Amino acid sequence: MDTRELARESRIVPRSFYSRRTADVARDLLGKILVNGPASGMIVDTEAYLGGDDLAAHSARGVTDRTRVIFGPPGHAYVYFIYGMYECLNLVTEPKDKPGCVLIRAIEPLTGIDVMQKRRPAARRIEDLASGPGKLTRALSITRAQNGADMTSGNLVVRNWKHQRQFEIEVTPRIGITKCADWPLRYVVKGNRFVSWFVSG
DNA sequence: GGTAGGATGGGCT
DNA sequence: GCCCATCCTACCC
Protein backbone atom coordinates (compact mmCIF):
# COMPACT_ATOMS: atom_id res chain seq x y z
CA MET A 1 0.00 0.00 0.00
CA ASP A 2 1.32 3.42 -0.98
CA THR A 3 -0.28 6.84 -1.01
CA ARG A 4 -1.19 6.61 -4.71
CA GLU A 5 -3.11 3.40 -4.18
CA LEU A 6 -4.71 4.83 -1.06
CA ALA A 7 -5.90 7.85 -3.05
CA ARG A 8 -7.58 5.54 -5.57
CA GLU A 9 -9.40 3.64 -2.84
CA SER A 10 -10.55 6.58 -0.75
CA ARG A 11 -12.25 9.98 -0.85
CA ILE A 12 -11.33 13.17 0.96
CA VAL A 13 -13.71 13.81 3.85
CA PRO A 14 -15.78 16.91 2.93
CA ARG A 15 -16.14 20.09 4.97
CA SER A 16 -19.74 19.23 5.91
CA PHE A 17 -18.37 16.34 8.00
CA TYR A 18 -16.56 18.81 10.28
CA SER A 19 -19.44 21.29 10.53
CA ARG A 20 -21.19 19.26 13.23
CA ARG A 21 -21.14 18.76 16.99
CA THR A 22 -17.53 18.33 18.08
CA ALA A 23 -18.06 15.12 20.04
CA ASP A 24 -19.76 13.51 17.03
CA VAL A 25 -16.87 14.51 14.77
CA ALA A 26 -14.34 13.11 17.26
CA ARG A 27 -16.18 9.78 17.36
CA ASP A 28 -16.66 9.60 13.58
CA LEU A 29 -13.00 10.40 12.83
CA LEU A 30 -12.03 6.98 14.20
CA GLY A 31 -11.18 4.65 11.31
CA LYS A 32 -10.52 7.48 8.85
CA ILE A 33 -7.07 7.97 7.29
CA LEU A 34 -4.93 10.99 8.18
CA VAL A 35 -2.55 11.78 5.32
CA ASN A 36 0.37 14.20 5.06
CA GLY A 37 2.31 13.74 1.83
CA PRO A 38 3.70 10.21 1.54
CA ALA A 39 2.84 9.15 5.09
CA SER A 40 -0.55 8.20 6.49
CA GLY A 41 -2.31 6.21 9.17
CA MET A 42 -5.71 5.23 10.51
CA ILE A 43 -7.01 7.49 13.27
CA VAL A 44 -7.50 5.33 16.39
CA ASP A 45 -7.58 7.86 19.27
CA THR A 46 -9.24 11.32 19.44
CA GLU A 47 -10.43 13.89 21.98
CA ALA A 48 -13.16 16.51 21.66
CA TYR A 49 -12.51 20.05 22.94
CA LEU A 50 -15.76 21.97 23.15
CA GLY A 51 -16.85 25.57 23.35
CA GLY A 52 -19.00 26.87 26.20
CA ASP A 53 -17.94 25.74 29.66
CA ASP A 54 -15.21 23.30 28.59
CA LEU A 55 -12.36 25.01 30.47
CA ALA A 56 -9.84 22.44 29.21
CA ALA A 57 -10.17 23.86 25.68
CA HIS A 58 -7.72 26.47 24.41
CA SER A 59 -10.70 28.43 23.09
CA ALA A 60 -12.16 28.81 26.60
CA ARG A 61 -10.61 32.26 27.10
CA GLY A 62 -11.71 33.63 23.77
CA VAL A 63 -10.03 34.67 20.53
CA THR A 64 -6.25 35.26 20.65
CA ASP A 65 -3.56 35.03 18.00
CA ARG A 66 -3.15 31.38 18.88
CA THR A 67 -6.80 30.33 19.13
CA ARG A 68 -8.16 32.28 16.16
CA VAL A 69 -8.45 29.28 13.82
CA ILE A 70 -10.60 27.38 16.36
CA PHE A 71 -13.26 30.07 15.84
CA GLY A 72 -12.89 29.96 12.06
CA PRO A 73 -14.59 27.74 9.47
CA PRO A 74 -14.59 23.94 10.00
CA GLY A 75 -12.26 21.51 8.27
CA HIS A 76 -9.05 23.38 8.99
CA ALA A 77 -5.98 22.37 11.02
CA TYR A 78 -5.22 23.89 14.43
CA VAL A 79 -1.58 23.08 15.22
CA TYR A 80 -0.09 24.31 18.49
CA PHE A 81 3.30 24.09 20.20
CA ILE A 82 3.51 22.45 23.63
CA TYR A 83 6.15 21.77 26.29
CA GLY A 84 8.80 23.59 24.30
CA MET A 85 9.32 20.61 21.99
CA TYR A 86 6.19 19.14 20.51
CA GLU A 87 3.34 20.05 18.23
CA CYS A 88 -0.23 18.77 18.39
CA LEU A 89 -2.77 18.51 15.55
CA ASN A 90 -6.43 19.40 15.95
CA LEU A 91 -9.20 19.54 13.35
CA VAL A 92 -11.60 22.49 13.63
CA THR A 93 -15.29 21.61 13.99
CA GLU A 94 -18.69 23.37 14.20
CA PRO A 95 -19.84 26.20 11.92
CA LYS A 96 -17.78 29.38 11.67
CA ASP A 97 -17.62 31.53 14.84
CA LYS A 98 -18.51 28.53 17.03
CA PRO A 99 -15.39 27.15 18.74
CA GLY A 100 -14.60 23.45 18.78
CA CYS A 101 -11.86 21.09 17.67
CA VAL A 102 -10.72 17.48 17.83
CA LEU A 103 -7.23 16.52 19.02
CA ILE A 104 -5.78 13.61 17.05
CA ARG A 105 -4.00 11.49 19.67
CA ALA A 106 -2.81 8.44 17.72
CA ILE A 107 -2.75 6.77 14.32
CA GLU A 108 -2.05 3.24 13.15
CA PRO A 109 0.65 3.68 10.46
CA LEU A 110 -0.53 2.71 6.98
CA THR A 111 1.70 4.21 4.24
CA GLY A 112 5.19 5.72 4.36
CA ILE A 113 6.24 3.69 7.38
CA ASP A 114 9.92 3.86 6.33
CA VAL A 115 9.78 7.68 6.25
CA MET A 116 8.11 7.80 9.66
CA GLN A 117 10.78 5.53 11.14
CA LYS A 118 13.50 7.90 9.95
CA ARG A 119 11.71 10.83 11.58
CA ARG A 120 11.18 8.91 14.85
CA PRO A 121 14.47 7.16 15.69
CA ALA A 122 13.40 6.75 19.32
CA ALA A 123 10.55 4.45 18.28
CA ARG A 124 11.70 0.86 18.58
CA ARG A 125 8.43 -0.70 17.48
CA ILE A 126 5.79 0.23 14.90
CA GLU A 127 3.39 0.62 17.82
CA ASP A 128 5.49 3.53 19.14
CA LEU A 129 5.75 5.45 15.85
CA ALA A 130 2.63 7.58 16.17
CA SER A 131 0.92 6.48 19.41
CA GLY A 132 0.65 9.97 20.92
CA PRO A 133 -0.22 13.51 19.82
CA GLY A 134 3.41 14.66 19.78
CA LYS A 135 4.64 11.46 18.20
CA LEU A 136 2.24 11.49 15.29
CA THR A 137 3.00 15.08 14.28
CA ARG A 138 6.69 14.18 14.31
CA ALA A 139 6.09 10.97 12.31
CA LEU A 140 3.91 12.77 9.75
CA SER A 141 6.09 15.92 9.79
CA ILE A 142 3.20 18.21 10.74
CA THR A 143 4.32 21.58 12.15
CA ARG A 144 2.96 25.00 13.04
CA ALA A 145 3.60 25.97 9.41
CA GLN A 146 0.38 24.03 8.71
CA ASN A 147 -1.67 25.89 11.30
CA GLY A 148 -4.87 26.98 9.56
CA ALA A 149 -4.36 24.60 6.61
CA ASP A 150 -7.47 23.46 4.76
CA MET A 151 -8.02 19.76 5.50
CA THR A 152 -10.11 19.22 2.35
CA SER A 153 -7.34 19.81 -0.20
CA GLY A 154 -3.56 19.75 -0.48
CA ASN A 155 -1.02 17.48 1.24
CA LEU A 156 -2.72 17.34 4.62
CA VAL A 157 -6.15 15.68 4.41
CA VAL A 158 -8.40 13.11 6.04
CA ARG A 159 -9.71 10.30 3.82
CA ASN A 160 -12.50 7.74 3.95
CA TRP A 161 -11.04 4.34 3.12
CA LYS A 162 -13.45 1.88 1.54
CA HIS A 163 -11.64 -1.15 2.97
CA GLN A 164 -12.03 0.06 6.54
CA ARG A 165 -13.03 -2.81 8.79
CA GLN A 166 -15.53 -2.63 11.63
CA PHE A 167 -14.50 -1.90 15.20
CA GLU A 168 -15.95 -1.09 18.60
CA ILE A 169 -15.53 2.35 20.19
CA GLU A 170 -14.48 3.00 23.77
CA VAL A 171 -15.22 6.35 25.47
CA THR A 172 -13.02 7.58 28.35
CA PRO A 173 -12.00 10.83 30.06
CA ARG A 174 -9.42 12.96 28.27
CA ILE A 175 -5.69 12.50 28.94
CA GLY A 176 -3.22 14.96 30.46
CA ILE A 177 -5.59 17.73 31.56
CA THR A 178 -6.68 18.98 34.99
CA LYS A 179 -9.79 21.02 34.18
CA CYS A 180 -12.95 19.08 33.30
CA ALA A 181 -10.80 15.98 33.83
CA ASP A 182 -13.76 13.63 34.17
CA TRP A 183 -15.66 14.61 31.03
CA PRO A 184 -15.98 11.54 28.77
CA LEU A 185 -14.75 13.07 25.51
CA ARG A 186 -11.98 10.71 24.43
CA TYR A 187 -12.76 8.16 21.71
CA VAL A 188 -10.62 5.10 21.13
CA VAL A 189 -10.73 2.12 18.77
CA LYS A 190 -11.28 -0.65 21.29
CA GLY A 191 -8.41 -3.12 21.59
CA ASN A 192 -6.19 -1.31 19.05
CA ARG A 193 -2.48 -1.61 19.85
CA PHE A 194 -1.63 1.84 18.48
CA VAL A 195 -3.65 4.01 20.90
CA SER A 196 -1.78 6.57 23.00
CA TRP A 197 -2.66 5.05 26.34
CA PHE A 198 -3.98 1.56 26.91
CA VAL A 199 -7.41 1.25 28.46
CA SER A 200 -7.69 -1.65 30.87
CA GLY A 201 -10.82 -3.77 30.82
C1' DG B 1 6.77 -4.90 34.53
C1' DG B 2 6.74 0.08 36.48
C1' DT B 3 7.49 5.35 37.45
C1' DA B 4 9.98 9.95 38.55
C1' DG B 5 12.13 13.67 36.64
C1' DG B 6 14.01 16.60 33.14
C1' DA B 7 14.01 18.75 28.53
C1' DT B 8 12.48 23.23 26.60
C1' DG B 9 9.89 27.49 25.02
C1' DG B 10 5.51 29.92 23.95
C1' DG B 11 1.08 31.73 25.89
C1' DC B 12 -1.17 34.24 29.11
C1' DT B 13 -1.87 36.60 33.88
C1' DG C 1 6.29 33.73 36.74
C1' DC C 2 3.50 29.93 36.18
C1' DC C 3 1.21 26.76 33.36
C1' DC C 4 1.14 23.48 29.80
C1' DA C 5 -4.06 18.66 25.42
C1' DT C 6 4.19 15.49 25.91
C1' DC C 7 7.94 12.30 25.40
C1' DC C 8 12.15 9.95 26.60
C1' DT C 9 15.56 8.19 29.68
C1' DA C 10 17.23 6.29 33.74
C1' DC C 11 16.47 3.60 37.24
C1' DC C 12 13.86 0.36 40.08
C1' DC C 13 11.51 -3.76 40.99
Side-chain angles (χ1 to χ4, degrees):
Chain A
M1 169 71 85
D2 62 10
T3 303
R4 196 174 295 265
E5 184 181 350
L6 172 65
R8 274 202 308 274
E9 299 181 348
S10 64
R11 292 291 179 86
I12 292 179
V13 171
R15 195 171 317 284
S16 55
F17 172 88
Y18 300 98
S19 189
R20 298 182 296 141
R21 286 182 54 241
T22 303
D24 292 343
V25 178
R27 180 198 60 213
D28 295 344
L29 276 168
L30 295 181
K32 302 204 180 324
I33 312 298
L34 177 64
V35 187
N36 190 37
S40 72
M42 181 179 87
I43 298 170
V44 296
D45 192 341
T46 64
E47 286 176 356
Y49 285 86
L50 313 180
D53 53 355
D54 183 3
L55 297 180
H58 290 175
S59 56
R61 284 182 212 78
V63 180
T64 67
D65 280 348
R66 182 174 68 149
T67 63
R68 184 163 291 114
V69 307
I70 308 174
F71 292 82
H76 289 256
Y78 166 52
V79 185
Y80 71 90
F81 187 58
I82 188 74
Y83 295 117
M85 305 167 82
Y86 300 104
E87 273 137 318
C88 293
L89 171 69
N90 295 253
L91 307 184
V92 176
T93 60
E94 309 272 1
K96 186 176 183 306
D97 297 324
K98 218 181 158 208
C101 60
V102 175
L103 172 68
I104 310 299
R105 284 198 64 88
I107 61 170
E108 176 176 339
L110 183 63
T111 69
I113 291 176
D114 50 341
V115 185
M116 292 197 259
Q117 284 173 321
K118 283 197 184 110
R119 294 167 177 160
R120 295 257 314 122
R124 307 212 153 219
R125 311 171 306 158
I126 303 288
E127 285 88 342
D128 299 324
L129 265 186
S131 56
K135 298 181 198 175
L136 77 88
T137 54
R138 194 67 60 85
L140 291 177
S141 194
I142 294 167
T143 71
R144 282 164 288 173
Q146 275 132 33
N147 187 42
D150 187 349
M151 297 296 301
T152 65
S153 66
N155 289 332
L156 180 59
V157 291
V158 174
R159 290 182 166 273
N160 248 316
W161 192 26
K162 64 183 182 184
H163 296 314
Q164 186 49 54
R165 50 190 194 279
Q166 293 292 315
F167 51 82
E168 285 183 58
I169 293 172
E170 186 146 20
V171 184
T172 81
R174 294 172 292 185
I175 302 287
I177 57 170
T178 53
K179 297 164 192 145
C180 305
D182 56 343
W183 292 21
L185 289 173
R186 177 174 177 235
Y187 300 84
V188 177
V189 172
K190 192 169 183 178
N192 188 283
R193 308 194 317 279
F194 298 83
V195 302
S196 64
W197 189 268
F198 283 103
V199 188
S200 60

